Amino acid sequence: MKITVHSSKAVKPAYPGGVAPAGERAVPLTVLDKANFDTYISVIYAFRPPAPANAALEDGLARVLVEYREWAGRLGVDAEGNRAILLNDAGARFVEATADVTLDSVMPLKPTPEVLSLHPSGEGATELMLIQVTRFACGSLVVGFTTQHIVADGRGTNNFFLAWSQATRGAALDPVPVHDRESFFRPRDPPLVEFQHRGVEFKPYEKHVDEKIHAGDEDDEEEVVIHKVHFSREFISKLKAQASAGLPRPYSTLQCVVAHLWRCMTTARGLEEGQSTSVCIAVDGRARMNPQVPDGYTGNVVLWARPTATAGELVARPLQHAVGLINREVARINDAYFKSFIDFASSGAVEKERLVAAADADEMVLSPNIEVDSWLRIPFYDLDFGGGRPFFFMPSYLPVEGLLILLPSFVGDGSLDAYVPLFSRDMDTFKNCCYAMD
């Protein structure tokens, strides 16, 4: 598959009359933005023909950037020196490319370095949103997005994708974007820090520097491979029945699948019985906070649950035990927890103690731990530029050992796909146990 880039340009908001609105020029990042991963994330969509012309996609992008100015901006600092999104309308990157093969000849796309050619790289980028549209010989279209995670979480970013498609086909934006990054996350007076946040969402700067110096000291020569596991609706039903046996209500699909994969990955890694292992699960606070944060909110509203066990306990005890650990920790990340975090992060302690976000995009090996990004409830398949919804969606190649990504299968029958990165030495063992029940 040879990809040829034909053009690359900055697309700026197309304001009515060509005049930008008066008002704030810099939007400070919230404490939840700053606690998140300061890195670029890439995703890939594939569409069957017919697809709108590139000019129509570009026009739609220019129109939607009027409503989502942050994605046409740049990161910088405000007048007080706080890190902020500068609403300078410098533009989003728009790349046009072609492929020399039919899309069917390379489907399903696999999580290998080859897919990196289907989206712009975030390395060295100043843009916050970079988009590549690639036309295949058969007329199919692949759209690859690369976005700065510190601007928005998965739901907020996907809302922009949907809005772009809606603007392209002339539909009203749904959900309506909510840009107020100040009102929802104000600290309480007096503050009430009920939970421990040092060593959880924050770590000492010195530890951060030490980790960077020693990153990759071990396993430098080890290859990380990504295996896509498909779990059928039938397999998921059996897993949930086993995990929820004897309980008044079943555990969620997410918690059951994560517990199952946590145990499988722990087995595959061959961890010592006494080794502590945790699974870090992103928890969306929109519906958990009181009052709720609107679905159209454009920033980050994510904190993390961190259930922990010893490797021996996790593997030896039944699936229900692991799911129970996850369920309890996820439930703990509630309104009180979010507000405690906001109060602590706004108290001045982070600056005084030189703490930094524990979410570290430079960490390439997570073993003995696991991190989970669940995209199961994000409506990726609602994206429609006018020629129909995508028939395939995937994250790009991201070889971070232990970074587990879950998403609905493109089959659309209630099944799901899990992208599982492990060292190559551990992958055969994982493949042998990932479909096994207790």
Side-chain angles (χ1 to χ4, degrees):
M1 178 174 70
K2 181 184 177 184
I3 304 298
T4 303
V5 171
H6 299 281
S7 74
S8 177
K9 66 184 78 169
V11 175
K12 301 182 179 184
Y15 296 109
V19 179
E24 59 185 344
R25 302 294 295 171
V27 180
L29 296 177
T30 71
V31 290
L32 286 162
D33 294 328
K34 289 185 280 192
N36 221 299
F37 290 93
D38 188 357
T39 190
Y40 285 85
I41 302 294
S42 300
V43 296
I44 296 164
Y45 293 80
F47 299 84
R48 298 285 188 203
N54 288 358
L57 295 172
E58 183 180 335
D59 287 346
L61 180 59
R63 287 196 300 274
V64 81
L65 287 173
V66 172
E67 306 297 334
Y68 281 87
R69 291 186 69 193
E70 60 267 69
W71 290 118
R74 298 291 184 266
L75 290 176
V77 295
D78 64 12
E80 284 75 46
N82 300 308
R83 200 168 184 208
I85 303 168
L86 307 181
L87 303 182
N88 58 8
D89 297 332
R93 178 63 44 185
F94 186 73
V95 179
E96 298 175 88
T98 56
D100 65 343
V101 296
T102 64
L103 188 53
D104 281 344
S105 70
V106 294
M107 287 297 295
L109 294 168
K110 295 179 174 60
T112 65
E114 189 175 33
V115 301
L116 295 174
S117 64
L118 293 174
H119 61 78
S121 169
E123 188 172 349
T126 58
E127 301 92 343
L128 305 180
M129 171 71 64
L130 303 94
I131 297 167
Q132 179 174 319
V133 294
T134 305
R135 303 275 170 176
F136 280 71
C138 56
S140 295
L141 173 71
V142 167
V143 181
F145 294 92
T146 298
T147 60
Q148 173 45 281
H149 201 327
I150 208 166
V151 175
D153 56 24
R155 183 168 292 278
T157 304
N158 187 68
N159 285 343
F160 172 80
F161 298 164
L162 294 177
W164 177 31
S165 73
Q166 291 159 355
T168 301
R169 67 176 195 267
L173 301 194
D174 182 25
V176 174
V178 177
H179 299 287
D180 183 357
R181 288 188 187 236
E182 180 185 1
S183 300
F184 300 113
F185 313 119
R186 288 192 179 117
R188 293 168 290 189
D189 186 14
L192 179 61
V193 180
E194 298 181 80
F195 299 91
Q196 180 60 260
H197 301 287
R198 295 178 183 87
V200 183
E201 291 88 12
F202 297 101
K203 62 184 177 183
Y205 174 76
E206 291 75 13
K207 184 172 187 286
H208 173 69
V209 171
D210 187 58
E211 286 170 351
K212 279 189 180 297
I213 292 171
H214 296 290
D217 280 0
E218 300 175 14
D219 305 308
D220 259 349
E221 303 303 316
E222 285 285 348
E223 179 191 15
V224 174
V225 293
I226 304 173
H227 179 58
K228 186 173 87 168
V229 186
H230 179 76
F231 290 124
S232 68
R233 184 171 56 185
E234 293 72 25
F235 181 88
I236 294 168
S237 294
K238 290 177 183 175
L239 203 64
K240 291 176 73 172
Q242 184 181 93
S244 309
L247 300 178
R249 54 181 296 185
Y251 287 121
S252 72
T253 294
L254 169 64
Q255 293 176 5
C256 293
V257 170
V258 168
H260 173 67
L261 289 170
W262 185 19
R263 298 172 80 229
C264 291
M265 293 168 74
T266 299
T267 299
R269 286 164 162 172
L271 300 180
E272 296 288 335
E273 284 191 6
Q275 173 74 64
S276 177
T277 172
S278 69
V279 54
C280 179
I281 305 171
V283 179
D284 187 341
R286 283 170 176 77
R288 290 171 180 257
M289 293 191 69
N290 183 22
Q292 292 190 0
V293 178
D295 183 48
Y297 176 70
T298 54
N300 287 283
V301 200
V302 167
L303 291 175
W304 298 269
R306 290 177 171 83
T308 303
T310 65
E313 167 197 359
L314 187 69
V315 173
R317 299 190 66 175
L319 175 67
Q320 189 173 85
H321 171 70
V323 184
L325 292 175
I326 292 171
N327 180 264
R328 285 191 292 276
E329 284 300 306
V330 169
R332 200 172 71 92
I333 311 301
N334 55 15
D335 178 63
Y337 191 92
F338 270 90
K339 287 177 177 170
S340 172
F341 167 82
I342 292 165
D343 287 353
F344 176 76
S346 306
S347 67
V350 171
E351 294 78 12
K352 182 179 179 181
E353 299 174 29
R354 299 183 74 210
L355 302 177
V356 296
D360 188 353
D362 292 330
E363 200 172 358
M364 299 301 290
V365 177
L366 303 182
S367 182
N369 304 319
I370 293 167
E371 184 181 309
V372 179
D373 281 350
S374 171
W375 299 349
L376 295 180
R377 293 187 177 180
I378 300 177
F380 293 105
Y381 291 100
D382 287 350
L383 196 69
D384 182 359
F385 293 101
R389 296 180 177 188
F391 74 94
F392 183 79
F393 167 80
M394 69 177 290
S396 183
Y397 174 68
L398 188 59
V400 176
E401 194 275 348
L403 174 58
L404 180 62
I405 299 177
L406 302 176
L407 61 152
S409 168
F410 66 90
V411 177
D413 61 352
S415 58
L416 65 84
D417 294 324
Y419 288 77
V420 182
L422 288 170
F423 288 124
S424 55
R425 65 171 185 251
D426 300 329
M427 192 54 81
D428 284 343
T429 305
F430 174 80
K431 289 178 180 178
N432 288 335
C433 71
C434 68
Y435 291 117
M437 298 276 190
D438 278 343

